[in-house]
Amino acid sequence: MRRSTRTGALLGLLLTLLTLSIAPSAQAGDILTEKSAGRKYALQSKAATDKAGKATCVSAEINDAGNQAGKLRARTDCTSLSSLGSWETFTLHTNDKGSHAALRSEANGLYVSAEFHDADPHFGMLRARQDGSIGDWEQFQLVDLKDGWYALRYNFTEGGTSRDYYVTTEVNSTGSDENLLRARTTTTPGSWERFKLVEIPSSNTPPAAASTPSRTFNALTWNTCSNNSSCAMAGYTSAQFASAVAQRASSAQADVIFLQEFCEKWAKPLEQKLEDTFDQGADTWDVRFAPIQYQVGTTGQWAQKSCSNNRGAYGVAVAVPSENTWYKAVELTSPDDTERRTGICAAIPSWAVMACSAHFSTGGRDAEGKPYDDPDRYVQQAQASALAQQVGSYSGYRPVFGGDLNATPTVKPTNSTTPVLQPLYDAYKESDQPANRPTKGSNKLDYLYASPSANWSLTVIGSNTGNPSDHQPLWSTVGLPAR
């Protein structure tokens, strides 16, 4: 276990907030994306599969030298997905709400580029090598060929000329170029241009929860407004962000932390800062991330929304003791053609606690009557029902969860008498009832919930003074009976 639980520690609110300590940010090229619970894919090539007579998937050849490093080649037997490693694992990302998708290699954390500056025979070669944000060379259209396969189409514009190229598996090449992936075909896609995105499954079953005595610990939730230019946090470095969160975690003496509007590449720096703040750098915290997504075109495939300024994907996070080895994204059905909202759950087996963070779709209308994503709030209510069911579905675990649910306790869907969040109140105990104090402006949008047998005490709404977010942090002490 990380450390003893600090009872009564929420009195730290009375302390004056410390000045942010700012450390150097992570170096470019560091792999800071391994903390993510987002969907992961293998990319199967039809041409290479037909040639080999067995399912064959694409590898990013990270160990190659020079301008061959990270080249994509269809050469790995993927009959069994469990045998695949990071070289064969990719994630999908978008910076234009799903109009295009970028591939990112799990092996080096870099986006795949189409190398149009190279001469034949490598013109248009695909390489996992882009260390910055998604640019023109990393944007592909995912074309559904209606037979279970997709084509990857790249639009190359130069000197006023625009041309579409389809990614091809070069099955007739030899040596190190055999089955190389190149964006070079301008005609109708054939078998060489067909690929399949095969989702790599994650475990649905956490490790067995332990029997445990009664336990009291502190939980903190905060929407950090990390990707909204109107908030100071959006301009922070990873070190500034980690310091801001650790500062509030210290005031709360938090044992678990739920974060929303979070950028993926900040998970590892935050984990390290929490360890420095609480435990002199010992390996005591685990920070995990899950992405908000957009559908790629009309394909039914989903790509992770990107944070600005090369900070990885955008979504939610949870920080728990480092004993955690199991975590899972909780995808929430969302209104069509909008962000697919999400949650993340992480297991703490010795506590028999499942800790989950979530962020609901925006509901209602703005001051001028313009609709948000879910103007009638029926989807929000469905998200509440789904979250209530999911967090309570892990056998032996007591749920403790929180987040920005984008609804006040009493708001109702249009023409309904049942509040949006009633499914959560029916099944769980909320930390700030009956006070229901506001956490954003004059509205209560942020919540902490726990099992019906839990006892919440000393709930605190953090000060707005010096707050770099448009939400105030919320923290509380929760007591759980023996299990």
Side-chain angles (χ1 to χ4, degrees):
M1 188 184 304
R2 183 172 81 254
R3 57 188 183 277
S4 60
T5 303
R6 302 169 176 86
T7 58
L10 293 180
L11 294 175
L13 175 66
L14 301 177
L15 300 175
T16 302
L17 293 177
L18 301 174
T19 302
L20 293 178
S21 58
I22 299 176
S25 60
Q27 295 297 309
D30 288 352
I31 301 176
L32 297 175
T33 55
E34 73 277 8
K35 309 294 288 184
S36 176
R39 296 187 185 200
K40 302 181 192 300
Y41 296 94
L43 186 64
Q44 183 181 350
S45 163
K46 179 169 174 47
T49 294
D50 291 346
K51 178 181 177 182
K54 57 187 175 183
T56 302
C57 289
V58 172
S59 293
E61 309 220 321
I62 305 304
N63 288 345
D64 283 4
N67 65 1
Q68 299 284 300
K71 70 182 181 185
L72 267 58
R73 193 154 67 94
R75 54 93 162 166
T76 300
D77 180 357
C78 55
T79 305
S80 171
L81 293 177
S82 63
S83 67
L84 299 181
S86 63
W87 283 26
E88 291 78 39
T89 305
F90 299 88
T91 50
L92 286 178
H93 300 260
T94 183
N95 63 355
D96 60 5
K97 300 184 178 181
S99 294
H100 296 83
L103 288 164
R104 192 178 71 192
S105 168
E106 287 287 283
N108 60 8
L110 305 182
Y111 293 112
V112 171
S113 298
E115 303 275 274
F116 282 100
H117 67 274
D118 281 344
D120 285 338
H122 295 140
F123 176 82
M125 177 177 66
L126 267 58
R127 287 176 57 208
R129 64 88 165 166
Q130 170 59 10
D131 190 32
S133 299
I134 298 169
D136 289 345
W137 286 17
E138 291 73 50
Q139 290 188 327
F140 298 88
Q141 287 180 307
L142 192 61
V143 181
D144 189 352
L145 300 177
K146 308 300 183 182
D147 58 358
W149 298 89
Y150 294 90
L152 294 171
R153 183 170 62 204
Y154 178 82
N155 180 261
F156 180 57
T157 301
E158 186 174 69
T161 300
S162 176
R163 176 173 288 181
D164 287 336
Y165 291 93
Y166 292 98
V167 174
T168 297
T169 304
E170 302 280 39
V171 291
N172 281 352
S173 295
T174 58
S176 62
D177 289 343
E178 182 182 10
N179 292 359
L180 190 70
L181 266 61
R182 288 175 54 206
R184 61 93 169 161
T185 298
T186 59
T187 57
T188 302
S191 63
W192 288 20
E193 289 75 45
R194 277 169 157 74
F195 298 90
K196 186 177 292 185
L197 286 164
V198 184
E199 188 170 356
I200 299 174
S202 59
S203 171
N204 286 316
T205 307
S211 296
T212 179
S214 61
R215 176 175 297 277
T216 300
F217 61 94
N218 301 324
L220 162 70
T221 186
W222 191 23
N223 179 321
T224 61
C225 196
S226 302
N227 205 48
N228 184 336
S229 60
S230 65
C231 294
M233 195 78 90
Y236 278 14
T237 65
S238 62
Q240 289 174 306
F241 174 86
S243 292
V245 174
Q247 172 184 303
R248 286 152 181 83
S250 181
S251 294
Q253 290 295 282
D255 297 286
V256 297
I257 306 169
F258 310 120
L259 298 167
Q260 304 83 47
E261 296 195 30
F262 185 94
C263 292
E264 176 189 23
K265 288 187 179 181
W266 285 351
K268 190 65 176 179
L270 174 58
E271 182 178 293
Q272 293 168 340
K273 185 64 177 179
L274 290 172
E275 291 171 346
D276 290 343
T277 300
F278 284 99
D279 301 293
Q280 293 77 52
D283 181 15
T284 52
W285 283 89
D286 186 39
V287 179
R288 294 290 174 178
F289 167 86
I292 283 171
Q293 302 170 100
Y294 278 99
Q295 185 174 194
V296 182
T298 58
T299 63
Q301 301 290 342
W302 294 86
Q304 302 178 27
K305 177 181 177 180
S306 292
C307 279
S308 60
N309 301 323
N310 189 27
R311 294 176 293 171
Y314 169 81
V316 301
V318 61
V320 295
S322 60
E323 71 170 83
N324 168 64
T325 59
W326 185 94
Y327 50 94
K328 191 170 184 65
V330 179
E331 296 179 0
L332 300 171
T333 299
S334 302
D336 293 340
D337 302 320
T338 67
E339 297 177 346
R340 185 177 222 180
R341 296 302 179 101
T342 194
I344 184 171
C345 289
I348 313 174
S350 70
W351 297 10
V353 166
M354 187 64 67
C356 306
S357 175
H359 192 185
F360 286 2
S361 296
T362 306
R365 299 172 184 269
D366 65 16
E368 298 177 351
K370 182 179 178 181
Y372 291 122
D373 286 356
D374 182 25
D376 294 320
R377 297 188 182 270
Y378 283 103
V379 174
Q380 282 189 326
Q381 193 167 69
Q383 291 173 340
S385 294
L387 183 65
Q389 180 178 10
Q390 187 64 46
V391 300
S393 67
Y394 302 109
S395 178
Y397 283 90
R398 287 87 57 86
V400 176
F401 61 102
D404 173 10
L405 306 186
N406 268 318
T408 64
T410 58
V411 70
K412 301 177 179 66
T414 303
N415 299 322
S416 173
T417 59
T418 304
V420 165
L421 302 182
Q422 194 61 46
L424 295 172
Y425 284 100
D426 287 344
Y428 303 103
K429 186 176 290 185
E430 197 261 312
S431 69
D432 199 38
Q433 280 201 317
N436 288 331
R437 290 169 289 176
T439 60
K440 181 182 180 182
S442 60
N443 294 314
K444 176 179 174 64
L445 300 180
D446 303 270
Y447 299 82
L448 290 168
Y449 290 92
S451 303
S453 59
N455 177 41
W456 288 105
S457 61
L458 202 61
T459 299
V460 175
I461 308 296
S463 172
N464 250 332
T465 303
N467 182 11
S469 172
D470 58 354
H471 288 246
Q472 294 164 264
L474 163 69
W475 61 86
S476 188
T477 299
V478 60
L480 298 175
R483 176 197 171 274

